[in-house]
């Protein structure tokens, strides 16, 4: 990575950068099918797009990048595809550790991590520990993630606290409950991107995207480039965000 790059070098306004970009990476299967290839080849090509996107966000100066890499619904896919995705995830974590250390990137994972195979959990723990003190950017992988499950998990924690007399239900606020979401401590996404043209949220960050700007591109995830990401951020910088107010 070229550490001398910054938002300005990409023609972006450094004072109006999204603090958090979240991406629904869709279209790996269609990318492969169009080329008469196995779907797994599409996921492999998708991993390359992940590398490019992480690098670009770091160079621009985006503080948090969340990637929807595996949803709770994805467990219903054929075993062979799940297994290939898990192998790709492990490979990604192992091969990117040096890049994360060199570029001050901290890895985090959100979702029901305990459901992942041991080889992925171990690689996650190792990479999270190794990068724990990095401050340049958080790379947040949503794995075995579902937005509704996240909210149910939050309700379970808070109701247990209420039962034990540790919180007064009358005093529960939005500011309080966010501390019990998987994303506690992170800003909400300012920008959510979905590739491959589908107009759906697919159970992604349901609480956190209340005021996010949404950008849907027809590009299939493996074709998602650095140039397109920069164009989308430029578009974001030109939008007027009102948060329900009038200006
Ligand atoms: C959606 O494409 C993509 C996924 C279900 C998984 C995303 C995984 C990767 C990009 C690769 C591995 C991840 C990392 C972080 C290295 P799809 O299969 O639903 O495509 P389709 O809708 O065209 O069938």
């Amino acid at each position: 990575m070229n550490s001398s790059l910054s938002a300005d070098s990409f023609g972006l306004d450094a004072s109006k950068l999204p603090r958090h970009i979240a991406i629904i990476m869709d279209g790996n299967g269609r990318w492969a099918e169009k080329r008469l290839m196995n779907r797994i080849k599409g996921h492999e090509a998708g991993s390359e797009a992940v590398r490019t996107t992480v690098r670009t966000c770091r160079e621009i100066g985006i503080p948090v990048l969340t990637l929807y890499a595996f949803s709770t619904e994805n467990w219903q896919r054929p075993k062979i595809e799940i297994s290939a995705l898990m192998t790709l995830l492990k490979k990604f974590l192992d091969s990117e550790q040096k890049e994360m250390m060199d570029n001050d990137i901290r890895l985090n994972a959100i979702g029901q991590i305990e459901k992942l195979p041991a080889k992925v959990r171990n690689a996650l723990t190792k990479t999270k520990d190794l990068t724990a003190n990095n401050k340049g950017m958080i790379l947040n992988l949503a794995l075995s993630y579902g937005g509704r499950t996240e909210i149910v998990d939050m309700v379970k924690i808070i109701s247990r606290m209420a039962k034990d007399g540790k919180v007064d239900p009358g005093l529960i606020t939005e500011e309080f409950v966010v501390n019990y979401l998987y994303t506690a401590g992170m800003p909400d996404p300012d920008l959510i991107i979905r590739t491959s043209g589908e107009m759906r949220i697919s159970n992604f960050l349901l609480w956190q995207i209340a005021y996010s700007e949404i950008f849907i591109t027809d590009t299939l995830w493996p074709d998602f480039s650095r140039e397109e990401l920069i164009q989308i951020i430029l578009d974001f910088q030109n939008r007027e965000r009102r948060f329900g107010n009038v200006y």
Side-chain angles (χ1 to χ4, degrees):
M1 190 187 110
N2 184 341
S3 57
S4 64
L5 293 175
S6 65
D8 305 341
S9 3
F10 296 100
L12 296 167
D13 178 348
S15 70
K16 274 171 68 181
L17 285 177
R19 284 159 307 162
H20 182 171
I21 298 180
I23 309 185
I24 303 177
M25 308 182 288
D26 196 11
N28 293 350
R30 273 162 287 170
W31 183 93
E33 280 155 23
K34 263 173 59 178
R35 289 163 177 76
L36 305 178
M37 288 172 167
N38 184 304
R39 294 176 55 80
I40 291 162
K41 291 280 174 212
H43 296 312
E44 283 172 15
S47 297
E48 285 311 312
V50 168
R51 286 189 180 89
T52 308
T53 302
V54 172
R55 195 168 301 153
T56 308
C57 283
R58 176 68 185 100
E59 287 172 357
I60 292 172
I62 304 297
V64 185
L65 170 67
T66 299
L67 299 176
Y68 204 2
F70 196 85
S71 70
T72 45
E73 292 73 23
N74 288 155
W75 289 115
Q76 291 157 26
R77 293 196 175 199
K79 276 209 168 67
I80 187 156
E81 185 171 345
I82 296 175
S83 161
L85 277 167
M86 293 302 147
T87 302
L88 275 175
L89 274 167
K90 177 172 162 36
K91 257 195 204 161
F92 173 82
L93 292 166
D94 292 345
S95 68
E96 296 310 288
Q97 280 175 5
K98 184 174 181 310
E99 169 118 3
M100 289 186 215
M101 290 312 290
D102 288 350
N103 295 303
D104 205 18
I105 298 172
R106 173 155 80 84
L107 181 88
N108 189 56
I110 57 170
Q112 296 195 307
I113 305 306
E114 67 283 1
K115 298 214 165 132
L116 299 169
K119 67 173 183 190
V120 178
R121 275 187 280 125
N122 293 341
L124 277 173
T125 308
K126 217 169 113 196
T127 317
K128 277 172 65 176
D129 289 351
L130 181 73
T131 62
N133 295 320
N134 290 351
K135 304 264 184 295
M137 179 174 98
I138 297 174
L139 169 60
N140 205 21
L141 294 183
L143 296 169
S144 190
Y145 174 88
R148 287 186 173 178
T149 305
E150 176 180 32
I151 292 171
V152 170
D153 283 349
M154 174 257 274
V155 170
K156 281 184 184 158
I157 299 171
I158 298 176
S159 43
R160 221 171 288 130
M161 289 167 75
K163 189 166 165 247
D164 295 346
K166 291 189 180 131
V167 61
D168 174 353
L171 297 180
I172 294 173
T173 58
E174 291 185 13
E175 291 71 28
F176 176 80
V177 304
V178 295
N179 296 311
Y180 301 95
L181 291 174
Y182 303 153
T183 51
M186 295 177 203
D188 286 340
D190 290 308
L191 174 61
I192 174 161
I193 301 171
R194 181 168 189 147
T195 57
S196 94
E198 306 290 347
M199 308 276 185
R200 284 191 291 276
I201 290 301
S202 300
N203 206 9
F204 190 40
L205 301 175
L206 295 181
W207 174 287
Q208 297 89 337
I209 61 170
Y211 290 102
S212 305
E213 293 294 319
I214 304 182
F215 198 102
I216 293 172
T217 168
D218 285 334
T219 305
L220 303 176
W221 176 251
D223 291 328
F224 191 72
S225 65
R226 172 187 186 85
E227 291 70 29
E228 183 163 13
L229 176 59
I230 293 161
Q231 276 310 312
I232 292 173
I233 300 174
L234 264 175
D235 180 276
F236 165 86
Q237 295 196 322
N238 290 321
R239 290 190 190 182
E240 189 188 351
R241 300 184 77 200
R242 291 202 292 266
F243 301 95
N245 210 331
V246 284
Y247 289 98

